[in-house]
Amino acid sequence: MFVKRDQAASIKEVVERNTGVKAEELLRDVRDPFLDHLDEAVQFVKGYIHSHPKCRVTVVGDYDSDGVNATSIMYWCFAKMKITPVLRVPHRMSEGYGLSEKIIDEIPSGLVVTVDNGIAALTAVKKAKEKGLSVVVTDHHLPVRDDKGNMVLPVADVLLDPHVDGDKSEFKDYCGAAIAYRFARAMFGAKFPELLVLASIATVTDVMPLIGANRTLVKDGLNYINKRRVVPGLDELLKKTNLEDHINEGDYGFMIGPTFNAPGRLYDNGAESVVKLLCTKRGDFTAKYKADKLLATNDRRKEVVRKCMEKIEKEGLVNPDERPIVLYDPTIPEGIVGIVAGRLAEEYYCPAVVFTDCGKEGVIKGSGRTIQEIHLKNALDKISDIMLGYGGHAGAAGLSIKAENLTGFREAFTKACGVIPEPPEDLLYDLELTGNLESICDELELYSPYGEQNAQIRFHTVLDLEPGDFRIIGDGTHFMTTVKDRDLTVMGFDLTAKYKALGYPEHIECVGYLNRSWFKGKSTLKFEILDFEAA
């Protein structure tokens, strides 16, 4: 059953409810809000390079989309200073996240700059300083706190993280790549569109709130990427994915971001391939090969996830009556467990933790996802004594336990989650889809980009479909058709089976999103169905 969420009567009212700010404030361009310690970081690096003209600079990043974009931004920043930095991305499976003592052991001398990590690397930074290295930490994560709640900060030369300075920084919701971009821009006092694009991709794929400075950054980044103001490697990737016509935030989140994440999920040092592509210089003939390889890896990632889900279903590894879900399967790659957990949490509407082997005898490593009603990090906090280590936030977490404690963890986690609600019977929508669709799209685009804290607006409508235009697309789970007598394309993602089961109805009542689809410079209206019933 489809139910209207509340009494909001206009797109503007829905946007204000979703964002929590007035529409006029949301639309205000916010560029370069004050970021404490930014000037200090810039001056320190400039001074260090001036006094050490032949110094070694090592940039230490991360293996997710935010980390590889941040690493690439910092590479181009130093390249503009005629310095070729050494780029070091931690190996996901064998090393884990962030700056480590092992990485410090590899660095003989010079300046270390972290991106998208470092604020929690207390022992690694301490070792670096004892070794005589200079360290600048640029990060966006929360700092470590002691038992009394006090911040415990690494002893770096400069800490550039908006969460360590109280209320001094005017905006705290940047991702790691956006912090790196602010550093690069401040270093030269100029805007670099191609680096801004990388920061905008990372902002969306790292699920940062799309309000304030982030909304402006992503809006500007989309403007530049559609003008092809991008680094050469990204330009090659866009050509090969046919993303050459009016790229939007959805393309960031569902196509570019997963492609950047795929190598780091499948291979220990896979993220290096993304960095190499994004740092490829113009005229380098290897860019095409690197882009092809990256896309092939993403295709393999999709296939691996598909096979994992098929195995879980075929072998009955999940009991739908046992919620939350705690699953151990050594055949699931370590980098994929989070995706599988997310699929299970969505399908069974409950928290899900998926464990696999991690190469350490007697230890299994897992990733968790949850539903809106249950805060995952809070649940894990209640059972911290049964885990070897964990971290995360409301919606997702990573953890490790002794293999022998799997049953005990399952029991403790079930108790910690408490009462798990049943899946909602009603699908909520925001507005009825009435009036001129072109005008509605124009107003929707005014408040874009949509994403975290600015949710896409859901419309309810009845559609008369053209039966002769029905087509199955993709892997067979999606369908496409059109509306009779109207220039409106209808997309049903993961809904082919339901459409068949209902006998291919020509009239449907549905809830979905209205937007535009572009091809060769021309746009058509598109309605993406979330769910439907025969009308």
Side-chain angles (χ1 to χ4, degrees):
M1 184 176 179
F2 307 123
V3 177
K4 195 171 189 300
R5 192 187 305 272
D6 56 24
Q7 298 302 310
S10 66
I11 291 174
K12 178 181 178 181
E13 290 179 14
V14 174
V15 167
E16 290 181 336
R17 180 202 66 208
N18 289 346
T19 61
V21 299
K22 291 293 185 182
E24 295 77 11
E25 178 65 18
L26 178 71
L27 296 178
R28 186 172 67 89
D29 284 344
V30 181
R31 292 183 175 84
D32 300 336
F34 177 74
L35 188 57
D36 198 25
H37 300 300
L38 176 60
D39 290 340
E40 181 184 352
V42 167
Q43 293 308 315
F44 180 85
V45 171
K46 283 183 175 179
Y48 186 92
I49 291 174
H50 178 73
S51 57
H52 303 78
K54 295 183 179 180
C55 68
R56 169 187 168 122
V57 176
T58 305
V59 176
V60 181
D62 187 26
Y63 38 68
D64 67 355
S65 177
D66 187 17
V68 296
N69 279 293
T71 303
S72 304
I73 289 170
M74 202 61 79
Y75 166 83
W76 288 107
C77 175
F78 281 106
K80 293 177 185 296
M81 303 169 69
K82 308 301 182 183
I83 294 174
T84 301
V86 177
L87 305 181
R88 182 61 160 88
V89 179
H91 300 168
R92 185 177 199 132
M93 289 75 167
S94 62
E95 296 176 346
Y97 166 80
L99 181 68
S100 64
E101 293 184 70
K102 178 180 181 297
I103 292 176
I104 294 301
D105 288 337
E106 299 172 0
I107 304 172
S109 62
L111 172 66
V112 177
V113 180
T114 71
V115 289
D116 193 32
N117 78 96
I119 200 64
L122 305 180
T123 57
V125 173
K126 181 181 178 182
K127 186 170 187 176
K129 293 302 300 175
E130 290 173 348
K131 191 175 181 178
L133 304 176
S134 293
V135 182
V136 174
V137 168
T138 75
D139 200 356
H140 73 117
H141 293 99
L142 296 171
V144 175
R145 291 184 180 271
D146 61 21
D147 294 339
K148 297 181 180 179
N150 300 313
M151 289 185 187
V152 182
L153 302 175
V155 290
D157 294 278
V158 184
L159 298 175
L160 177 56
D161 184 326
H163 295 290
V164 306
D165 52 32
D167 296 325
K168 293 180 181 178
S169 291
E170 295 176 342
F171 188 76
K172 296 182 179 293
D173 289 325
Y174 281 128
C175 66
I179 297 286
Y181 172 72
R182 287 294 309 274
F183 175 87
R185 180 167 183 181
M187 178 66 73
F188 295 95
K191 182 184 292 185
F192 299 110
E194 67 277 11
L195 303 187
L196 175 58
V197 167
L198 298 181
S200 69
I201 293 171
T203 299
V204 173
T205 57
D206 216 41
V207 199
M208 306 308 295
L210 293 186
I211 57 176
N214 278 344
R215 179 182 182 275
T216 304
L217 188 152
V218 174
K219 183 180 175 183
D220 289 348
L222 289 169
N223 178 47
Y224 286 127
I225 197 172
N226 282 297
K227 293 178 179 178
R228 278 304 180 275
R229 302 286 297 278
V230 297
V231 295
L234 178 57
D235 187 49
E236 192 62 44
L237 185 71
L238 296 177
K239 292 176 183 176
K240 291 184 175 295
T241 53
N242 295 319
L243 283 177
E244 298 193 74
D245 214 344
H246 207 80
I247 296 167
N248 59 32
E249 65 272 24
D251 297 317
Y252 280 3
F254 294 105
M255 297 189 71
I256 299 175
T259 302
F260 284 175
N261 276 322
R265 292 190 180 280
L266 291 181
Y267 308 112
D268 194 25
N269 63 340
E272 292 177 3
S273 65
V274 188
V275 173
K276 288 178 180 177
L277 174 66
L278 295 179
C279 296
T280 300
K281 295 181 179 180
R282 197 165 302 281
D284 187 336
F285 71 93
T286 66
K288 294 181 180 181
Y289 165 76
K290 293 172 183 175
D292 282 335
K293 186 177 179 181
L294 187 56
L295 292 171
T297 302
N298 190 43
D299 288 339
R300 183 172 185 274
R301 187 267 309 172
K302 294 177 185 177
E303 182 66 10
V304 170
V305 173
R306 184 186 66 79
K307 288 183 176 180
C308 287
M309 298 305 298
E310 283 183 353
K311 178 185 177 184
I312 290 171
E313 182 178 359
K314 183 178 180 180
E315 298 183 8
L317 300 181
V318 172
N319 184 345
D321 296 325
E322 295 180 358
R323 301 159 72 231
I325 293 168
V326 176
L327 171 67
Y328 164 64
D329 186 340
T331 67
I332 300 177
E334 183 179 325
I336 300 297
V337 288
I339 298 177
V340 174
R343 297 281 181 89
L344 294 175
E346 181 178 359
E347 181 175 351
Y348 295 97
Y349 203 76
C350 67
V353 177
V354 179
F355 287 102
T356 191
D357 290 343
C358 64
K360 295 181 180 179
E361 186 175 354
V363 176
I364 56 178
K365 192 172 183 179
S367 186
R369 299 294 185 270
T370 189
I371 54 177
Q372 185 176 357
E373 294 89 341
I374 297 178
H375 193 294
L376 187 57
K377 174 66 162 49
N378 289 348
L380 293 176
D381 286 341
K382 298 175 185 177
I383 58 172
S384 59
D385 59 329
I386 203 170
M387 294 176 286
L388 298 174
Y390 74 103
H393 49 78
L399 63 154
S400 60
I401 65 172
K402 291 183 178 180
E404 63 188 34
N405 289 339
L406 179 62
T407 299
F409 174 84
R410 180 181 286 110
E411 295 172 353
F413 183 61
T414 299
K415 183 177 180 181
C417 288
V419 178
I420 298 175
E422 292 300 316
E425 296 181 359
D426 301 326
L427 180 62
L428 301 179
Y429 66 89
D430 301 305
L431 299 169
E432 295 290 341
L433 187 62
T434 58
N436 183 280
L437 298 188
E438 289 285 354
S439 297
I440 294 172
C441 254
D442 288 342
E443 186 174 2
L444 288 173
E445 290 172 356
L446 176 67
Y447 297 107
S448 68
Y450 293 97
E452 186 71 7
Q453 289 191 27
N454 185 21
Q456 205 169 353
I457 295 176
R458 294 181 177 183
F459 290 97
H460 172 260
T461 188
V462 174
L463 299 176
D464 297 327
L465 304 181
E466 186 65 59
D469 286 347
F470 177 81
R471 286 180 290 157
I472 295 176
I473 58 175
D475 61 0
T477 62
H478 320 311
F479 73 83
M480 174 189 295
T481 186
T482 57
V483 174
K484 290 180 179 179
D485 304 323
R486 299 179 74 176
D487 188 18
L488 179 65
T489 300
V490 178
M491 307 290 295
F493 293 104
D494 296 316
L495 291 172
T496 297
K498 180 173 183 176
Y499 195 63
K500 288 181 178 179
L502 293 176
Y504 300 93
E506 294 184 28
H507 313 288
I508 62 171
E509 179 187 7
C510 57
V511 167
Y513 304 125
L514 179 69
N515 50 45
R516 285 190 172 98
S517 179
W518 291 80
F519 182 69
K520 293 186 177 180
K522 294 183 179 180
S523 68
T524 55
L525 294 173
K526 178 175 67 175
F527 192 80
E528 297 180 17
I529 301 174
L530 290 172
D531 201 2
F532 69 97
E533 298 292 345

